[in-house]
Amino acid sequence: QRDEGEPSDTVRAWPVEQSSGIAAVQTARGVLLHLARIDDDRIDDYRIVAPTDWNFHPDGALARGLVGLEADDAAALAQRAGLAALALDPCVAFRIEVAGDA
């Protein structure tokens, strides 16, 4: 159980410079990052790195999860890979192509 004065594990924020900071939000699909920079009391720059960016990165969770995935044929392999993609993010459109020997 967490004390009221402790920061939440769901949302964390850190100053980067005097006028900018980063916030990390734990979501069902992974970490959502926000970077904001303020200049003259206005938002000068704002960036988001969504869990989809992490999960579907070439070195991300999907790519790592597919390493060594096996099936009896290309169709079954594509289906298993598709299930892995859906498990990470059911809202992302994707296409599975099996190249080489399945």
Side-chain angles (χ1 to χ4, degrees), residues 1-101:
Q1 186 172 350
R2 175 175 78 80
D3 290 335
E4 288 300 316
E6 292 180 23
S8 167
D9 289 338
T10 305
V11 179
R12 297 275 179 139
W14 304 270
V16 176
E17 296 172 344
Q18 183 176 351
S19 61
S20 64
I22 294 175
V25 181
Q26 290 291 339
T27 70
R29 296 181 297 120
V31 177
L32 173 64
L33 292 177
H34 296 264
L35 169 67
R37 186 178 1 254
I38 308 295
D39 186 25
D40 198 23
D41 292 332
R42 301 188 90 149
I43 297 172
D44 182 51
D45 191 14
Y46 190 84
R47 298 173 191 238
I48 295 175
V49 179
T52 300
D53 298 329
W54 304 106
N55 292 336
F56 292 91
H57 183 276
D59 286 326
L62 181 63
R64 290 176 184 215
L66 294 179
V67 171
L69 187 64
E70 295 180 2
D72 292 335
D73 57 43
L77 187 59
Q79 182 182 26
R80 288 182 182 176
L83 289 173
L86 286 171
L88 283 172
D89 192 336
C91 301
V92 172
F94 62 88
R95 183 182 76 224
I96 303 292
E97 292 181 25
V98 177
D101 296 329

